[in-house]
């Protein structure tokens, strides 16, 4: 209409946050959550610490970098692809038995494991690393030729380095994610038996702080179940040389933490104090027995020998024995009869006249 002014309306689009949570980043990178977590562990995706919540976030610039790579998202997913023994043997072109022997000798390092319904350990390997193993010409004899006698004797003795190699690999990931010496010490302590930690860390609140900073290892089954116990055995160091190496590394990290506080150890929190202070069960106090009053009159000599009972001489004109000071008179039948007779009533207890 003439004379009508149409104001231009500008639509404001809210700015996208500079950091994304892991779930949002996994969707934008077309990865499943376990693939995203594995990519973070392997360093394929760089994460930063969110100062507000303390969690891990992915920057928008990092997502843009990955999306700009050639062949996205297939190339990224192929770099975090994991395979089991059957698929891995087919990928390498060897039998499953030879593949298992190479893994037990420590030549193939697993990156994941889980327990099936029969509580059997299933190890998973990176397909990218298996292809690199095949491409290395130095491993040709191990893939086609006869296994050397020294290696066969170790396999006969029961050598299996898969659990140890997984622990070492996962420890490296936890150390890369640690921000300070206390966090690194907690990562090392996560793979040591509790008795070894008690011998190394003698200060109670330092042990409490280590327990609080120990990262959560992958859970397998409900706590206390056979699957969970088997998973704990795999995730805990067993060999003497591995325990010695981890113990020395833990002691070195603790010295680094104490170097930052030369006068004393870090100030313990309330939780540390609660862990250090033993619980004392409160026992209700028993009632203190009062000194008993003799029921029958006794002589003055005998009464004075009773500790805690002050005794005075008998009143003149009274047939009763010594008076016990501040003692309550008995309220039996005899007392009631005496109050009814003026002659038998003691001095001072006569009823007032009207």
């Amino acid at each position: 209409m003439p004379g009508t002014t149409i104001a231009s309306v500008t639509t404001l689009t809210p700015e996208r946050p500079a950091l994304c949570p892991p779930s949002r980043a996994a969707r934008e990178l077309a990865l499943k959550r376990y693939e995203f977590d594995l990519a973070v562990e392997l360093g394929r995706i760089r994460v930063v610490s969110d100062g507000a919540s303390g969690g891990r976030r992915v920057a928008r610039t990092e997502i843009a970098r990955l999306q700009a790579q050639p062949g996205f998202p297939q190339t990224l997913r192929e770099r975090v692809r994991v395979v089991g023994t059957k698929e891995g043997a087919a990928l390498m072109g060897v039998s499953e038995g030879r593949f298992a022997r190479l893994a037990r000798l420590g030549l193939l390092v697993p990156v994941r494991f889980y327990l099936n319904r029969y509580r059997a350990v299933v190890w998973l390997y990176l397909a990218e690393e298996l292809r690199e193993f095949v491409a290395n010409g130095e491993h040709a004899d191990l893939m086609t030729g006869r296994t050397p006698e020294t290696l066969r004797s170790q396999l006969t003795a029961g050598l299996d380095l898969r659990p140890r190699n997984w622990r070492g690999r996962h420890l490296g990931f936890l150390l890369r994610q640690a921000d300070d010496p206390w966090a690194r010490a907690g990562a090392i302590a996560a793979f040591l038996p509790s008795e070894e930690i008690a011998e190394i860390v003698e200060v109670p609140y330092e042990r409490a702080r280590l327990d609080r900073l120990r990262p959560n290892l992958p859970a397998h089954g409900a706590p206390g179940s056979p699957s969970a116990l088997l998973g704990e055995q795999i995730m805990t160091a067993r060999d003497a040389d591995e325990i010695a190496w981890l113990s020395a590394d833990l002691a070195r990290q603790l010295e680094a933490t104490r170097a930052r506080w030369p006068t004393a150890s870090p100030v313990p929190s309330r939780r540390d104090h609660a862990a250090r202070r033993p619980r004392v069960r409160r026992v209700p106090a028993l009632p203190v027995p009062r000194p008993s009053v003799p029921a029958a009159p006794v002589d003055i000599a005998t009464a004075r020998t009773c500790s805690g009972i002050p005794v005075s001489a008998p009143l003149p004109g009274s047939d009763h024995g010594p008076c016990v000071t501040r003692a309550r008179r008995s309220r039996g039948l005899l007392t009631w009869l005496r109050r009814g007779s003026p002659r038998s009533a003691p001095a001072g207890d006569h009823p007032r006249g009207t």
Side-chain angles (χ1 to χ4, degrees):
M1 296 177 61
T4 304
T5 304
I6 302 176
S8 60
V9 179
T10 303
T11 303
L12 298 178
T13 304
E15 295 183 0
R16 306 176 71 183
L19 300 178
C20 292
S23 57
R24 179 65 179 272
R27 288 195 302 269
E28 295 194 10
L29 294 175
L31 295 176
K32 298 179 180 179
R33 185 54 191 267
Y34 78 90
E35 293 176 336
F36 175 84
D37 295 338
L38 181 58
V40 172
E41 292 184 13
L42 299 174
R44 307 288 192 265
I45 301 176
R46 295 190 293 264
V47 296
V48 295
S49 178
D50 187 5
S53 62
R56 299 289 176 175
R57 297 291 186 266
V58 182
R60 286 287 178 185
T61 55
E62 178 68 9
I63 296 178
R65 182 187 68 86
L66 295 172
Q67 291 175 345
Q69 292 180 352
F72 175 84
Q74 287 76 17
T75 54
L76 180 59
R77 299 192 64 179
E78 187 63 26
R79 297 182 67 184
V80 294
R81 178 189 169 200
V82 293
V83 295
T85 300
K86 183 177 181 179
E87 191 175 359
L91 182 63
M92 296 179 61
V94 297
S95 63
E96 295 183 18
R98 183 178 291 270
F99 183 92
R101 289 193 295 270
L102 293 176
R104 290 175 56 189
L105 290 170
L107 301 175
L108 304 177
V109 181
V111 71
R112 283 283 192 274
F113 78 92
Y114 69 92
L115 304 177
N116 60 12
R117 59 180 178 177
Y118 305 106
R119 290 200 293 272
V121 184
V122 179
W123 298 98
L124 300 176
Y125 307 85
L126 276 176
E128 183 182 24
E129 293 182 353
L130 298 183
R131 286 192 292 265
E132 293 176 356
F133 187 88
V134 175
N136 192 345
E138 299 178 358
H139 301 151
D141 296 339
L142 295 174
M143 296 180 58
T144 57
R146 183 179 177 85
T147 305
E149 180 62 29
T150 55
L151 299 181
R152 282 191 286 114
S153 61
Q154 293 177 1
L155 293 174
T156 305
L159 177 66
D160 190 357
L161 295 178
R162 290 175 294 184
R164 180 169 180 172
N165 286 340
W166 178 88
R167 289 192 294 268
R169 188 166 205 166
H170 198 70
L171 175 59
F173 159 70
L174 296 177
L175 292 177
R176 287 192 300 269
Q177 298 295 322
D179 300 329
D180 54 74
W182 269 113
R184 287 189 288 271
I188 299 172
F191 298 93
L192 277 173
S194 57
E195 56 271 14
E196 294 293 332
I197 299 176
E199 293 182 1
I200 299 172
V201 189
E202 299 180 355
V203 182
Y205 69 78
E206 286 187 350
R207 288 198 301 268
R209 189 164 190 175
L210 276 181
D211 291 339
R212 189 173 69 254
L213 294 176
R214 289 176 64 173
N216 295 325
L217 297 179
H220 300 275
S225 63
S227 299
L229 296 177
L230 180 58
E232 291 179 2
Q233 293 179 2
I234 295 176
M235 293 181 289
T236 304
R238 298 295 176 184
D239 301 332
D241 56 341
E242 183 183 7
I243 293 177
W245 173 71
L246 291 175
S247 300
D249 202 4
L250 177 59
R252 184 165 53 252
Q253 290 296 333
L254 290 177
E255 291 298 330
T257 61
R258 299 187 184 105
R260 300 180 64 177
W261 296 275
T263 56
S265 297
V267 178
S269 61
R270 292 183 179 180
R271 184 174 179 180
D272 300 336
H273 280 297
R276 179 178 58 175
R277 183 174 60 252
R279 292 187 176 181
V280 179
R281 184 179 179 182
R282 296 183 177 274
V283 180
L286 297 177
V288 180
R290 297 183 178 180
S292 58
V293 180
V298 294
D299 59 303
I300 298 177
T302 305
R304 286 178 177 175
T305 58
C306 298
S307 59
I309 305 177
V311 179
S312 61
L315 297 177
S318 175
D319 298 334
H320 295 281
C323 289
V324 180
T325 307
R326 304 173 71 111
R328 181 179 296 180
R329 295 186 300 272
S330 61
R331 299 181 179 274
L333 179 59
L334 182 59
T335 303
W336 182 81
L337 293 175
R338 287 176 178 176
R339 293 183 62 182
S341 176
R343 293 182 179 179
S344 60
D349 285 350
H350 292 286
R352 294 180 180 179
T354 56

